[in-house]
Amino acid sequence: MTDPSTGRAGALARDAADPLAEFGDRFARAERDGHDLIYLDGNSLGRLPLATAERITRVIRDEWGSGLIGSWDHWIGLPAQAGDLLGEHLLGAAPGQLAVCDSTTVNLYKLACAALDARPGRTVIVTDDDNFPTDRYVLQGIAAQRGCELRMIHTGMDAGLDEVTVAAAVGDDTAVVSLSHVAYRSAALADMAAITDLVHESGALMLWDLCHSAGSVPVQLDACGADLAVGCTYKYLNAGPGAPAFLYVRRELQDQLRQPIWGWLGQRDLFEMGPDYDPVPGIERFTTGTPQVAGIVAVQEGARLLAEAGIDRLRDKGIALTEYLLTLADPWLMPLGCSLASPRDPARRGSHVTLHHPRARQICQALAARRVIIDYRSPSRLRFGLAPITTRFTDVWDAVDETRQIMEDMGLPG
Ligand SMILES: *Cc1c(COP(=O)(O)O)cnc(C)c1O
């Protein structure tokens, strides 16, 4: 059954030639029963960088424990500093346009409301039916609260956004278009520049969700002319559970936009404690309350590791890993009843691969019992997340090999 060109020795050779291989040792090992986990879920919760564990310990023990309130002198600048770090190395944004704060859900709410208010007379929000649930729900909520129309375009679940359909849905009634850059289920990668352009032609604002792109594919927010963006930090950025998200507001728009949560951290003279809200110029006006210090320093450590690896090298490895998975899955899993539920062209795909199988849920559970951690995604899909900084080619080989054995044991194709 084992093809010599794809045998495990081939995977070992690929690991030996991988310029990013050394980064694996800079993350905590995850074991079960004395064996390393094969962890292909870094796009749901990235692994723990060793530097992060040390930094958080220092922040808690020294800066909080000993520095106490005096540490706010430097903590207060963290949301914008961490944002600039992401902008410089991973998101293609000049300083002063990103902040790390709140959750993706809350940031999406803030920026979508701000966009709507900046386009008076336009009452339509456009998104697609394959967008991540929280995005659709937040936009539904805004439409219900404000009496706007949420125009839901249809996107093929496996093929991803179709620019022609987006173009047909936006018009002079549209205030804001909100879409995901990399689809959470299929990994379909949208053409950010082209879609942003066509949205601008209609006079609407473009709001991108970068949850599955940040840290896995190069993003050029400034060069694409994107207006607004949000994304989480616990996936490919490895900042840990509940780490705060980021938001981006293009510099020229910052003074025109007002977000709906008028918190004191967005206020001009924070400690004047004045009677009325007067938002500070700049990106901090899009923050709300006290920054989540421990989470933000974890974002910095995660971003530094990825910056050191380099986003272009990470992208190259992401493509090599996903292509390698398909090289194995085509002869081994497709004959057992799997079908590809991601774009075939690596240029149209992020860093995960999704396979459809009617018994995907059971296969996923059986894999977990054998220490192979992937995601089940409804309907009937196996999602293999190949975080480029931590995933080895041998992990891919082992995971596909285990999947094949499990499916054969189940008597598939049946
Ligand atoms: C993971 C993810 C989110 C998560 O939002 P939270 O507020 O962090 O729970 C939002 N959007 C997309 C596209 C995601 O993949």
Side-chain angles (χ1 to χ4, degrees):
M1 189 73 205
T2 303
D3 172 345
S5 70
T6 56
R8 199 167 192 279
L12 285 163
R14 283 176 162 86
D15 283 336
D18 172 13
L20 302 182
E22 48 138 347
F23 283 93
D25 296 334
R26 296 172 63 183
F27 288 79
R29 285 182 65 185
E31 296 181 1
R32 194 180 296 161
D33 309 325
H35 297 279
D36 282 344
L37 284 183
I38 296 167
Y39 189 70
L40 303 185
D41 216 350
N43 58 338
S44 273
L45 179 64
R47 301 181 83 124
L48 168 64
L50 297 172
T52 301
E54 282 172 28
R55 176 92 186 276
I56 289 184
T57 304
R58 277 202 313 278
V59 166
I60 299 296
R61 193 189 50 208
D62 303 339
E63 297 182 24
W64 175 21
S66 175
L68 283 170
I69 199 150
S71 295
W72 273 116
D73 287 350
H74 65 274
W75 287 340
I76 201 75
L78 283 173
Q81 284 162 20
D84 286 347
L85 192 66
L86 294 175
E88 180 182 355
H89 298 287
L90 303 171
L91 302 178
Q97 303 179 99
L98 281 147
V100 174
C101 59
D102 302 321
S103 65
T104 303
T105 302
V106 170
N107 287 336
L108 190 80
Y109 178 78
K110 293 186 296 187
L111 296 192
C113 288
L116 210 49
D117 289 341
R119 290 290 180 272
R122 292 172 175 246
T123 56
V124 174
I125 305 170
V126 174
T127 191
D128 75 304
D129 58 3
D130 193 50
N131 207 347
F132 191 79
T134 209
D135 300 56
R136 290 182 283 108
Y137 303 157
V138 163
L139 299 173
Q140 276 171 6
I142 294 171
Q145 288 150 17
R146 297 178 171 235
C148 295
E149 178 194 343
L150 179 60
R151 188 172 291 155
M152 193 71 83
I153 59 180
H154 176 63
T155 295
M157 193 179 283
D158 303 332
L161 282 169
D162 165 11
E163 282 147 54
V164 178
T165 312
V166 180
V170 299
D172 56 15
D173 57 358
T174 310
V176 56
V177 179
S178 180
L179 299 168
S180 288
H181 183 218
V182 171
Y184 76 98
R185 184 166 28 216
S186 68
L189 178 61
D191 186 336
M192 182 180 281
I195 293 175
T196 302
D197 278 352
L198 72 86
V199 167
H200 284 166
E201 274 166 34
S202 77
L205 291 165
M206 183 67 220
L207 167 50
W208 286 103
D209 185 325
L210 306 178
C211 279
H212 280 275
S213 356
S216 72
V217 299
V219 176
Q220 296 294 340
L221 284 168
D222 289 354
C224 289
D227 301 303
L228 306 162
V230 298
C232 61
T233 62
Y234 48 79
K235 293 174 180 161
Y236 292 102
L237 299 176
N238 304 305
F246 61 83
L247 59 78
Y248 166 89
V249 180
R250 183 155 57 86
R251 185 180 297 284
E252 303 91 89
L253 287 172
Q254 289 174 4
D255 290 347
Q256 304 163 30
L257 294 193
R258 275 234 178 171
Q259 57 124 329
I261 302 171
W262 294 10
W264 71 312
L265 264 286
Q267 172 74 354
R268 193 182 294 269
D269 294 308
L270 181 55
F271 289 104
E272 280 299 308
M273 309 278 181
D276 295 313
Y277 179 69
D278 176 20
V280 67
I283 194 68
E284 271 105 343
R285 67 167 51 199
F286 300 95
T287 67
T288 57
T290 303
Q292 301 109 303
V293 171
I296 302 176
V297 301
V299 175
Q300 289 180 316
E301 294 305 325
R304 277 182 195 136
L305 266 180
L306 296 180
E308 196 184 325
I311 190 64
D312 292 325
R313 290 202 299 175
L314 290 164
R315 174 60 173 155
D316 289 346
K317 185 173 171 193
I319 289 176
L321 287 165
T322 54
E323 287 287 270
Y324 184 53
L325 188 143
L326 289 177
T327 302
L328 301 174
D330 279 333
W332 289 354
L333 304 185
M334 306 317 187
L336 301 178
C338 284
S339 58
L340 182 60
S342 294
R344 174 64 70 172
D345 176 2
R348 294 262 299 115
R349 184 171 78 215
S351 211
H352 61 272
V353 175
T354 301
L355 302 179
H356 174 272
H357 191 280
R359 296 177 70 186
R361 192 190 290 275
Q362 287 135 289
I363 296 168
C364 189
Q365 285 164 355
L367 281 167
R370 298 192 190 199
R371 296 178 290 107
V372 180
I373 309 300
I374 65 166
D375 272 321
Y376 170 75
R377 280 291 171 270
S378 171
S380 305
R381 278 158 172 78
L382 301 165
R383 190 177 74 170
F384 297 82
L386 309 180
I389 196 157
T390 49
T391 305
R392 293 171 300 196
F393 291 88
T394 39
D395 295 332
V396 174
W397 199 94
D398 290 340
V400 179
D401 188 44
E402 292 280 4
T403 308
R404 171 176 59 130
Q405 287 176 35
I406 285 165
M407 293 179 72
E408 284 170 356
D409 290 350
M410 288 166 82
L412 293 168

